[in-house]
Amino acid sequence: MTKTAAELLNGIRGWVEIESHTPDLEGLARLADRVTQEYEAFGAEVERVTGRDGYGDHLVVRAPWARRENVPGILILSHIDTVHPRGTIRKMPFRLEGDVAYGPGIYDMKGGAYIAMDAVAAVAANGGAPLPVTHLFVSDEEVGSPTSRDLIESLARGARYVLVTEPAREGGRIVTARKGTMRYTVRTFGRPSHSGTRHQDGRSAIAEIARIALKFHALTDYDRGITCNVGEIGGGTGVNVVPAEAWAAIDVRVPDAAATAEIEAFVASLEPEEPEVTIEVEGGLNRPAYEASAGGTALFEHARKRAAELGFELEGLKTGGGSDGNFTATLAPTLDGLGVDGQGAHTLHEQLYVSSLEPRRDLLRRLIETLE
Ligand SMILES: [Zn+2]
């Protein structure tokens, strides 16, 4: 017996109403407890990996039909953290309007994580599947998975396939290629001085960071799929002081390894234009770009056929968004974007389409049943 759309939505609501912003350890722990209870209720084995460095616990769930070690199986990859701080639920409480359900984290990705659990439950109730299934829930995806990356990679290395429950894109598409994400913080150091009486003695850190910001900005090349965003900038101590320090935070998206190397070379060659000003750069490649491999393409074809049997057409898409799928795609054939359809990730109008819940859950279920 699988859940109806209304039952699925009710379960998702339960997860959404436990707020779980990445730094909110108490909320994350409560949600991890909830996931553990619901999984254990149908016989799965849940291992809790204690959080570290200020991040929450991760859960490694093993489906009940196969607990043999060393048999490469299916890794389902989800995250339980969201970008929404505690209290967001008061600004955007769970609500249903026709086919649209709203709530913080409902689309990215509590909806997808929940329907994957229900797919595993349905397969378990039916006697299991050819391959063992491990469902990993990490708690730090929204900040780049600093404490879960090793776990993700080691489980992916031991897997035959990886299914990522990030939201579907643009009308239910799944993700076959993703751009890489690079993050930098640049700091500049000048010399402070009174802007009225000793202006000439000062060396402006803000003038330098402004020039650097424009250089980064100019790296954007839409035709090649390279984008660069100087998203935050700051510095100075007062309007009448030549600023001694300034900084900028920069996000770069790259389509492939060649573009990644070009950005790295650009950053390594950054020099201050003004003498006596110094620059410090921190950061680099966070999530590598991936293009579908032969194994990934075959997995996508397999999923497309299963979707057609269920009566819908599955399309692939390349996206600029990064996810934990970037870590696994070079280690095992990976399909990303298998979660729910909707829109508004990371916003206050985040929403899922209720009509997508059953088809997407059924697709996950059929993948688990048929992959071997
Ligand atoms: Zn996500």
Side-chain angles (χ1 to χ4, degrees), residues 182 184-186 216 219 250 252 260-271 279 281-284:
M182 309 175 83
Y184 292 99
T185 302
V186 182
F216 266 101
L219 296 172
I250 298 145
V252 189
T260 307
E262 279 172 43
I263 303 296
E264 283 168 343
F266 161 81
V267 170
S269 71
L270 264 183
E271 293 277 359
I279 300 178
V281 185
E282 240 175 62

Side-chain angles (χ1 to χ4, degrees), residues 39 76 78 111-121 135 165 361 364 368:
Y39 247 123
I76 303 175
S78 299
Y114 189 90
I115 61 170
M117 180 183 74
D118 191 60
V120 174
H135 192 169
T165 65
R361 184 271 321 276
L364 282 159
I368 295 167

Side-chain angles (χ1 to χ4, degrees), residues 78-79 81-83 107-110 141-142 164-167 169 178 322-324 345-346:
S78 299
H79 63 84
D81 62 322
T82 76
V83 298
Y107 171 63
D108 183 12
M109 63 149 77
K110 291 180 179 179
E141 193 275 345
E142 292 293 2
V164 187
T165 65
E166 286 289 347
R169 300 298 153 93
R178 278 187 185 275
S323 95
D324 284 337
H346 300 192

Side-chain angles (χ1 to χ4, degrees), residues 14-32:
W15 287 16
V16 165
E17 290 182 340
I18 301 173
E19 292 185 276
S20 55
H21 188 209
T22 314
D24 183 352
L25 301 191
E26 194 269 336
L28 283 162
R30 274 195 297 134
L31 182 53

